[in-house]
Amino acid sequence: MAEYNLVIKGGRVASTEGVATMDVAIEGGVIAALGRDLQAHRTIDGAGKLVLPGGVDAHCHIEQLSGGGLMNADTFETATRSAAFGGTTTVISFAAQHRGDRLRDVVENYSRLAAAGAVTDYAFHLWISDPTPETLEQDLPRLIEAGHRSIKIFMTYDRVRLLDEQVLDVMMVARKYGALVCAHAENHGMIKWMADRLVSRGYVEPKFHGISHPRVCEIEAFERLIRFSQLLDQPVMLFHVSTAEGAAVIRRARGEGIKVFAETCPQYLFLTAQDLDQRGLEGAKWMCSPPPRTTFDQDALWRGLDLGDLQLVSSDHAPYRFDASGKLAAGSSPDFKQIANGLPGLETRLPLLFDAMVSQGMSSLEKFVELTATAPAKIYGLHPRKGAIAVGADADIAIWNPDREVTLTDDGLHDNVGYNPFTGRRLKGWPEIVLRRGDMIIVDGRLQAEPGSGQLQLRSCSAVMRPTGRLSPEFNPATNFGAQLL
C-alpha cells in the first residue's frame, strides 16, 4: 500500500454531489487519493470534522485605488490573511485600470503587489475604464490569451463608467478571445439625479445613500446589459444582485436561453437598509453599492440561489477604515456622496453562509460547497484545479468544526479595516485548519504562511465563457443580407 506525505483521516468530505466519511491523501501539493485506511508519514485527525474545498472568493477589491482616488485599507498580505482565516484559499481581485492607464502596466503592477504579499492563491479581473484602441486591440486580447479570462466594467460612477457603445466594444473583444464580462450594472443617470436631489434638500446622512440608489436602477441596467448579451451572444456575469426584481430579470433571461450568470453577497442576504440608520455617521460602516435592501429581497435572493438563478456568493470585499484614511476622508461631517462605498467581507463570507445554510438548515452542505467553491471555480476557469476535493486537484482544503460557536466582534478579524459590519452575530461552524496546495496555512488560530507564498492562477476559457452559437438576426449573414459583423 502506498504511503503518502499527508493524509486527513476520517473526516466527512463534502462535494456538490454528497457527503461521505473518508481519508484524503495529499502528495506534492495535490490530492493524490480518496479512500479508507490510507497510510501517511503525517496525519491530520478529521474525526468529527467537515473536510471542505477551500473557498473561492471571486469578487474582492485588494490594494486598489478607487474611482474616486482613495486607496482601500487592505494590502494583498492583510486581505488574503483574512481570507485564509475564513476558509478561503483563492481570491479573484481586480487589476483596476483608470483613465490614462496602460492596461498591461496595470496588470504588471497588481501582479507585483500580489506576488509580494498574497498568502492565498489569486487571479485578476481586468477592470476596463479606458477602452482606447490600444486597450481593445493590443493589451486586452493579449492579456485574455495569457490567462486573464474575466473583465470588469462599470455602468455607473463618473470616473470609471463606460458608455453603452464602449460596453459593446469590450464585449466584442471578450467574445472573440474567450472571456467573461462582469458588470456593476446600475443606471447612472438615476443615481446621480437622485443623489443630487437628496443632498440639495438637506438629506445627507448615510441612511440616504440607499435612497439614492433606487431599486429600479438595478432592474433597468440588468435588462440593458442582458440585451447587449443577447445581441452579441456574449456571456455576462451580473455582480452583487440586491433586489427581488433583479433576480426575476435574470430568471427570465436565462429562461430565454441568454447566457447570463449572477452572484449575490452576504450584505444582501444578511443586512437591510435599516442597518444604515445609525446615530451620526455610524451608518457609513454599512454603506455599499448597491445598498442592502429589505427582508423581502433577502428571501427572494435565497430563493434565487436555491433555484440556480444566482450561481454563487462572493464577498465584494471593499475595505475602508472608519477614519480619515477611509470612510471619513472628506472630513468629519461629509454628506453620503462623499463617503467611500464598501464593506469588509473576505473573512466572514464562509462562516455567515455556513451558519445559515448548514447549521440553521436553510439549505445543505452540498449547496454551500457549490456556491462558495465549486461554482466560482468552474465559472471563472479555475476548475478542475480549484473548488473541489478530487484526485488531481490542488489540495486547497478547509477543515471545519461544525459545532464551534463564534460571536463576531469588531476586533476579531484579521484584515486592516478595524470594524465588522456583522458584529454581534453568533455563528455555529468555523474553519480551524486551512491548507493551500497541501501546506497548512491556518492552524489553531495562527497563520503559518509567508507573505508572497500565494500563486497567480492563470485561467482557461471555461464553458461558461463561450458563446451559445445562436446568433441574433442582425449578426446572422442569413438574415442580415450577408453582412459579416463578427
Side-chain angles (χ1 to χ4, degrees):
M1 181 177 293
E3 189 169 30
Y4 298 99
N5 180 54
L6 176 65
V7 169
I8 303 168
K9 301 285 291 185
R12 294 176 61 218
V13 178
S15 71
T16 59
E17 305 300 321
V19 184
T21 300
M22 65 179 75
D23 299 344
V24 180
I26 298 168
E27 193 73 42
V30 302
I31 297 170
L34 301 171
R36 299 289 183 93
D37 300 321
L38 301 179
Q39 303 302 306
H41 298 290
R42 298 182 298 133
T43 62
I44 298 173
D45 184 5
K49 302 297 196 298
L50 295 173
V51 180
L52 310 182
V56 177
D57 195 334
H59 183 174
C60 43
H61 303 264
I62 301 175
E63 209 158 340
Q64 178 196 303
L65 192 68
S66 74
L70 190 64
M71 180 62 70
N72 64 30
D74 272 320
T75 64
F76 275 92
E77 180 179 353
T78 62
T80 59
R81 175 183 69 199
S82 181
F85 273 100
T88 289
T89 51
T90 304
V91 300
I92 308 180
S93 62
F94 298 91
Q97 180 199 43
H98 296 287
R99 290 172 187 171
D101 291 346
R102 178 84 191 248
L103 184 60
R104 69 180 187 191
D105 296 338
V106 169
V107 174
E108 287 177 5
N109 290 338
Y110 277 93
S111 297
R112 191 178 306 113
L113 293 171
V119 300
T120 67
D121 289 347
Y122 56 92
F124 296 111
H125 301 295
L126 304 173
W127 167 328
I128 306 298
S129 297
D130 198 7
T132 61
E134 181 180 61
T135 295
L136 296 175
E137 297 168 14
Q138 299 179 37
D139 292 357
L140 186 54
R142 291 170 185 166
L143 289 164
I144 292 172
E145 291 185 325
H148 300 286
R149 293 280 177 176
S150 49
I151 300 166
K152 170 71 176 291
I153 61 159
F154 283 86
M155 298 173 74
T156 188
Y157 300 135
D158 286 324
R159 298 181 186 180
V160 296
R161 73 184 180 103
L162 302 186
L163 302 177
D164 287 355
E165 301 94 323
Q166 294 173 316
V167 172
L168 291 166
D169 284 340
V170 170
M171 290 176 71
M172 189 60 84
V173 176
R175 188 187 195 282
K176 181 176 181 180
Y177 291 95
L180 183 64
V181 174
C182 310
H184 180 131
E186 293 182 281
N187 181 288
H188 178 75
M190 288 186 196
I191 294 170
K192 188 175 188 305
W193 188 86
M194 284 290 289
D196 289 346
R197 191 169 182 84
L198 284 161
V199 171
S200 70
R201 296 176 180 223
Y203 302 115
V204 298
E205 294 88 348
K207 62 186 176 183
F208 292 107
H209 164 71
I211 306 302
S212 75
H213 287 247
R215 50 196 307 125
V216 292
C217 82
E218 176 172 282
I219 302 162
E220 187 280 331
F222 281 11
E223 285 279 16
R224 185 155 36 107
L225 189 70
I226 285 167
R227 297 310 160 189
F228 292 173
S229 172
Q230 183 180 30
L231 174 66
L232 301 184
D233 187 24
Q234 165 57 37
V236 295
M237 165 67 71
L238 289 164
F239 275 166
H240 42 52
V241 180
S242 71
T243 63
E245 297 94 334
V249 166
I250 294 160
R251 182 181 307 118
R252 288 194 298 271
R254 288 173 63 83
E256 295 176 32
I258 302 171
K259 212 164 179 181
V260 55
F261 303 86
E263 62 160 42
T264 192
C265 309
Q267 46 269 42
Y268 309 114
L269 298 171
F270 299 105
L271 301 176
T272 73
Q274 297 306 309
D275 287 295
L276 279 73
D277 189 8
Q278 308 283 337
R279 292 184 60 184
L281 290 172
E282 283 292 310
K285 294 177 179 178
W286 288 268
M287 282 180 58
C288 57
S289 293
R293 304 292 185 176
T294 69
T295 55
F296 173 78
D297 295 295
Q298 290 177 349
D299 291 342
L301 295 174
W302 281 114
R303 190 163 57 250
L305 290 167
D306 185 55
L307 294 172
D309 304 324
L310 314 178
Q311 291 76 44
L312 56 115
V313 181
S314 299
S315 69
D316 192 8
H317 178 80
Y320 297 97
R321 296 182 64 84
F322 189 63
D323 59 24
S325 73
K327 294 281 187 179
L328 307 182
S332 59
S333 56
D335 62 55
F336 68 83
K337 290 175 61 177
Q338 298 172 305
I339 297 172
N341 285 203
L343 309 178
L346 268 169
E347 191 165 345
T348 53
R349 177 184 70 119
L350 295 183
L352 284 165
L353 290 168
F354 186 96
D355 176 72
M357 298 177 70
V358 181
S359 300
Q360 297 184 37
M362 288 182 63
S363 187
S364 67
L365 186 57
E366 293 90 338
K367 190 69 172 179
F368 172 80
V369 168
E370 176 187 338
L371 293 177
T372 63
T374 307
K378 287 183 174 179
I379 286 170
Y380 289 107
L382 291 162
H383 189 78
R385 300 190 314 277
K386 305 293 186 184
I389 296 179
V391 173
D394 286 352
D396 295 344
I397 297 170
I399 301 175
W400 287 68
N401 181 344
D403 299 316
R404 180 176 171 183
E405 295 188 356
V406 173
T407 299
L408 299 179
T409 62
D410 279 334
D411 59 357
L413 300 181
H414 297 83
D415 55 29
N416 191 39
V417 184
Y419 78 92
N420 183 346
F422 302 101
T423 286
R425 292 174 185 259
R426 188 163 183 81
L427 308 179
K428 185 177 180 181
W430 202 264
E432 294 185 332
I433 298 176
V434 179
L435 294 86
R436 182 216 59 214
R437 286 178 279 106
D439 292 330
M440 289 190 286
I441 62 173
I442 302 292
V443 181
D444 296 329
R446 298 192 302 273
L447 177 69
Q448 297 188 349
E450 292 297 320
S453 58
Q455 292 182 358
L456 173 64
Q457 302 296 304
L458 297 174
R459 295 169 283 143
S460 59
C461 181
S462 72
V464 162
M465 300 172 186
R466 300 188 185 102
T468 66
R470 295 187 296 273
L471 297 177
S472 62
E474 295 79 9
F475 280 88
N476 188 341
T479 54
N480 72 1
F481 307 105
Q484 299 294 325
L485 300 178
L486 292 175

